[in-house]
């Protein structure tokens, strides 16, 4: 059993060019914050990782006390990095842009294993049984599957296309989309060394990301090249993919999209799904029983993440450059924007505490992580971070598709 | 709430500055380009570099080695004309996610960005 104690991990900035005095100051602060937890056993349920994209580092954080516990360095190019967790919620698997797959131990704040598995990667997923970690790659295009314990390669699934929107699905399957080919593939990993692939071709132009509903039934890919999304009902997979929200922007001029929206923050709340429009400053609302559009909510800018609180009562939205200093909150009952916050330039990501009383957001250009009360919208805390981007809490460990 | 003061240290710049003007002059070999560079204030250049690294970097990678967007490393741009690259920046590439930056970036700024990309020396 590991104890939350080892204390030599604060090598934070030695490689960075600072003055010695400042290094000492930072080290003292680190030691102080760390010392409180020394010699104590602890769980990881209120912990998480924050990506520091420019420095290739991660912050280990605790959302009960709203504090940083440690920094882990040496993770390469973390632009567009994302993280999934082992089912014991002790290890984070970090998918880096440069093809790096890194297994990080939250308790020791150390890298447990790391491989460079491709030239250019975009995200990943962990299997239902927790034994396999899959990474979707741009270059070479495809999915590689690794042993979650050792990061040894288990299976290679070349697609001949940039591969996006990779999620786990029940039945130990991975589902992903082929950006260049306009296809959705389902890989059954029941026999990990010989994946059984089901391919759906010509589903739409340029699927740019995908998500799966929290029950693992519906896989939905967003299309960049068309106004619409594609839905695959995994309970009735023989019916194949169907188009939803077809032509949602028809007749309207598309606005420039300075950041691609992300669909991993599935906002399903109150019987509706809330998704970003592409090239329109709108959040689209779909009824999840009929899959018909029920509303369009005009928004401050091009939505990037549209994320529901765990209770589904409110949906939080951030926006693309240059309107990325603002967050808007939608009431899911009235489908109206009830609050507009301006946390600062470069709000890149949000994450809720496990039961949703707080929301954390990374404000890249201020080098801050801000924490807000989701009921009063008051700011509760701020934590320093270096160009923070993705925030990932360990509650994701037990959730399908996250 | 515990704090340590991260303000005391700054991330190491990903891209290092050499003698910027010298490189620019080498790349373009023209007085006109030097004039382009001079027309942009140092503050604005910093803003543009920041946008290049952070926002262009969302698709092209923080180190510009590519992502959903093409690599923008100097070695990959040798066959590309700076003026053509500038027009891609300004007007985007229809049918791809590359958006037109004309609403946010002036033509002479786009040319400057194209030139520093081709030079491989983005400054700091």
């Amino acid at each position: 059993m590991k104890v939350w104690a080892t204390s030599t991990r604060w090598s934070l900035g030695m490689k960075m060019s600072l003055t010695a005095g400042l290094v000492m100051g930072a080290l003292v602060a680190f030691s102080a914050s760390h010392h409180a937890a020394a010699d104590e056993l602890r769980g990881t349920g209120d912990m998480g990782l924050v990506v520091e994209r420019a420095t290739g580092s991660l912050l280990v954080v605790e959302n009960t006390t709203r504090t940083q516990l440690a920094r882990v360095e040496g993770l390469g190019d973390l632009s567009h990095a994302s993280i999934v967790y082992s089912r014991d919620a002790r290890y984070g698997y970090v998918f880096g842009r440069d093809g790096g797959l890194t297994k990080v131990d939250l308790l020791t704040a150390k890298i447990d294993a790391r491989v460079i598995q491709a030239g250019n990667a975009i995200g990943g997923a962990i299997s239902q049984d927790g034994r396999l970690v899959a990474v979707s790659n741009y270059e070479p295009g495809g999915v590689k599957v690794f042993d979650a314990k050792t990061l040894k390669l288990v299976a290679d699934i070349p697609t001949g296309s940039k591969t996006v929107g990779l999620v786990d699905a029940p039945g130990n399957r991975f589902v992903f989309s082929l950006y260049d080919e306009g296809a959705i593939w389902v890989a059954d990993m029941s026999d990990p060394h010989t994946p059984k692939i089901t391919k759906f071709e010509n589903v739409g132009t340029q699927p740019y990301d995908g998500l799966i509903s929290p029950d693992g039934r519906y896989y939905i890919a967003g299309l960049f090249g068309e106004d619409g999304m594609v839905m695959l009902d995994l309970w009735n997979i023989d019916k194949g993919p169907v188009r939803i929200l077809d032509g949602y922007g028809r007749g309207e001029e598309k606005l420039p999209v300075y950041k691609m929206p992300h669909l991993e923050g599935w906002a399903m709340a109150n019987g509706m799904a809330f998704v970003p429009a592409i090239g329109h400053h709108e959040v689209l609302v779909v009824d999840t029983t009929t899959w018909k559009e029920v509303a369009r909510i005009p928004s401050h800018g091009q939505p990037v993440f549209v994320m529901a609180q765990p209770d589904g009562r409110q949906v939080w939205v951030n926006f693309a450059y240059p309107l990325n200093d603002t967050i808007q909150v939608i009431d899911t009952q009235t489908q109206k924007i009830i609050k507009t916050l301006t946390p600062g330039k470069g709000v890149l990501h949000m994450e809720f505490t496990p039961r949703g009383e707080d929301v954390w957001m990374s404000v890249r250009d201020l080098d801050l992580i801000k924490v807000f009360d989701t009921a009063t919208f008051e700011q509760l805390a701020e934590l320093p971070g270096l160009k923070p981007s993705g925030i990932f809490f360990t509650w994701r460990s037990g959730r399908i598709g996250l | 709430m515990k704090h340590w003061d991260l303000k005391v240290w700054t991330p190491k710049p990903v891209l290092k500055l050499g003698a910027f003007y010298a490189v620019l002059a080498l790349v373009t070999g023209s007085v006109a380009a030097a004039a382009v560079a001079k027309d942009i204030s140092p503050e604005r250049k910093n803003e543009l570099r920041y946008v290049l690294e952070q926002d262009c970097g969302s698709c092209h990678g923080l180190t510009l080695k590519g992502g959903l967007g093409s690599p923008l490393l100097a070695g990959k741009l040798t066959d590309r004309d700076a003026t053509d690259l500038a027009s891609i920046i300004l007007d985007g590439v229809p049918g791809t996610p590359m958006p037109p930056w004309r609403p946010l970036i002036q033509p002479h700024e786009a040319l400057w960005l194209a030139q520093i990309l081709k030079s491989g020396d983005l400054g700091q």
Side-chain angles (χ1 to χ4, degrees):
Chain A
M1 189 186 308
K2 285 263 184 167
V3 176
W4 171 249
T6 55
S7 65
T8 49
R9 61 180 173 272
W10 318 113
S11 63
L12 79 144
M14 300 306 277
K15 281 174 289 183
M16 313 256 173
S17 47
L18 346 157
T19 70
L22 295 177
V23 173
M24 287 308 292
L27 284 175
V28 168
F30 258 111
S31 305
S33 67
H34 158 251
H35 198 260
D39 305 323
E40 287 170 18
L41 294 174
R42 66 160 300 157
T44 60
D46 62 350
M47 293 174 73
L49 293 167
V50 179
V51 175
E52 297 182 310
R53 67 200 295 267
T55 43
S57 49
L58 301 172
L59 292 176
V60 180
V61 296
E62 184 187 80
N63 54 43
T64 300
T65 52
R66 303 177 191 130
T67 53
Q68 304 101 329
L69 301 174
R71 171 172 284 128
V72 186
E73 294 185 312
L75 286 97
D77 180 354
L78 292 185
S79 54
H80 207 289
S82 60
I83 299 171
V84 299
Y85 287 99
S86 61
R87 62 196 280 162
D88 64 5
R90 172 169 175 179
Y91 298 98
Y93 298 92
V94 185
F95 307 102
R97 164 70 85 191
D98 56 3
L101 165 61
T102 314
K103 182 183 178 190
V104 173
D105 185 339
L106 272 71
L107 291 181
T108 62
K110 283 190 171 135
I111 292 173
D112 182 80
R114 175 170 163 82
V115 291
I116 302 291
Q117 54 82 43
N120 208 312
I122 191 63
I126 188 162
S127 62
Q128 184 178 34
D129 66 6
R131 292 171 194 271
L132 302 169
V133 171
V135 192
S136 66
N137 291 318
Y138 281 160
E139 186 54 49
V143 171
K144 284 188 180 169
V145 183
F146 297 86
D147 182 306
K149 203 167 175 184
T150 62
L151 300 191
K152 287 215 169 73
L153 185 69
V154 173
D156 187 2
I157 309 172
T159 59
S161 163
K162 286 175 181 156
T163 303
V164 300
L166 169 66
V167 300
D168 61 287
N172 238 38
R173 289 177 292 179
F174 291 117
V175 190
F176 45 92
S177 297
L178 280 55
Y179 174 80
D180 305 300
E181 302 293 319
I184 295 174
W185 288 14
V186 180
D188 182 337
M189 304 302 298
S190 302
D191 177 0
H193 293 281
T194 47
K196 220 168 69 191
I197 315 276
T198 309
K199 302 177 183 178
F200 299 96
E201 315 285 349
N202 302 316
V203 301
T205 310
Q206 294 168 331
Y208 66 89
D209 200 0
L211 58 82
I212 192 160
S213 55
D215 58 8
R217 176 171 178 178
Y218 300 107
Y219 177 79
I220 296 178
L223 300 175
F224 187 82
E226 297 173 58
D227 286 340
M229 301 181 102
V230 182
M231 191 212 20
L232 182 62
D233 179 354
L234 295 170
W235 290 8
N236 297 287
I237 196 165
D238 48 319
K239 289 186 177 160
V242 295
R243 193 63 71 88
I244 61 170
L245 291 172
D246 211 12
Y248 61 73
R250 193 162 286 149
E252 294 171 32
E253 193 176 342
K254 276 202 177 188
L255 300 165
V257 179
Y258 293 111
K259 184 171 174 62
M260 290 295 258
H262 288 60
L263 296 178
E264 56 197 300
W266 170 251
M268 198 173 187
N270 203 19
M272 291 165 285
F274 295 74
V275 292
I278 294 271
H280 308 282
H281 293 183
E282 289 173 335
V283 173
L284 308 174
V285 188
V286 194
D287 182 316
T288 52
T289 49
T290 62
W291 296 101
K292 300 283 183 230
E293 176 184 317
V294 291
R296 287 182 199 194
I297 305 167
S299 60
H300 175 72
Q302 165 69 56
V304 176
F305 282 99
V306 179
M307 304 178 89
Q309 286 172 199
D311 63 1
R313 180 73 193 274
Q314 296 175 150
V315 164
W316 296 61
V317 188
N318 74 333
F319 303 100
Y321 180 86
L323 299 171
N324 60 6
D325 63 343
T326 298
I327 291 284
Q328 289 189 312
V329 186
I330 297 167
D331 181 322
T332 57
Q333 290 193 99
T334 61
Q335 294 141 38
K336 296 259 185 313
I337 288 167
I338 53 163
K339 189 75 186 175
T340 298
L341 299 169
T342 48
K345 274 179 78 177
V347 183
L348 294 192
H349 196 224
M350 297 164 283
E351 181 80 329
F352 298 98
T353 47
R355 297 181 192 225
E357 79 285 5
D358 294 355
V359 60
W360 288 41
M361 46 187 87
S362 47
V363 190
R364 181 193 64 197
D365 295 4
L366 298 181
D367 290 311
L368 285 175
I369 300 140
K370 295 190 172 186
V371 184
F372 288 86
D373 185 314
T374 54
T376 65
F377 307 111
E378 272 169 41
Q379 186 179 319
L380 301 169
E382 58 183 45
L383 296 75
L386 296 168
K387 300 279 170 278
S389 59
I391 307 172
F392 302 88
F393 291 155
T394 55
W395 56 257
R396 290 169 172 259
S397 158
R399 309 286 173 95
I400 294 168
L402 293 180
Chain B
M1 180 173 40
K2 291 166 214 151
H3 267 285
W4 74 81
D5 187 4
L6 287 177
K7 290 255 160 60
V8 300
W9 60 300
T10 46
K12 193 162 135 192
V14 174
L15 307 148
K16 291 210 180 72
L17 174 66
F20 167 70
Y21 286 104
V23 171
L24 185 65
L26 269 178
V27 168
T28 63
S30 79
V31 182
V36 163
K38 260 191 214 159
D39 288 345
I40 308 170
S41 71
E43 295 76 28
R44 179 60 177 160
K45 281 183 187 168
N46 282 337
E47 276 176 30
L48 289 168
R49 285 188 192 104
Y50 191 79
V51 168
L52 183 61
E53 185 183 342
Q54 299 294 335
D55 297 291
C56 303
S58 301
C59 278
H60 295 281
L62 274 176
T63 55
L64 302 178
K65 66 183 277 190
L68 192 64
S70 312
L72 299 180
L73 299 169
K76 301 270 184 184
L77 299 177
T78 45
D79 297 341
R80 308 295 291 263
D81 186 68
T83 320
D84 293 345
L85 291 175
S87 68
I88 290 176
I89 295 170
L90 291 170
D91 297 319
V93 182
T96 77
M98 177 64 187
W101 290 83
R102 200 179 282 279
L104 303 165
I105 294 177
Q106 299 292 314
H108 67 288
E109 295 173 338
L111 184 58
W112 178 74
L113 284 170
Q115 286 162 345
I116 63 170
L117 283 170
K118 275 181 70 69
S119 79
D121 188 346
L122 305 202
Q124 56 181 340

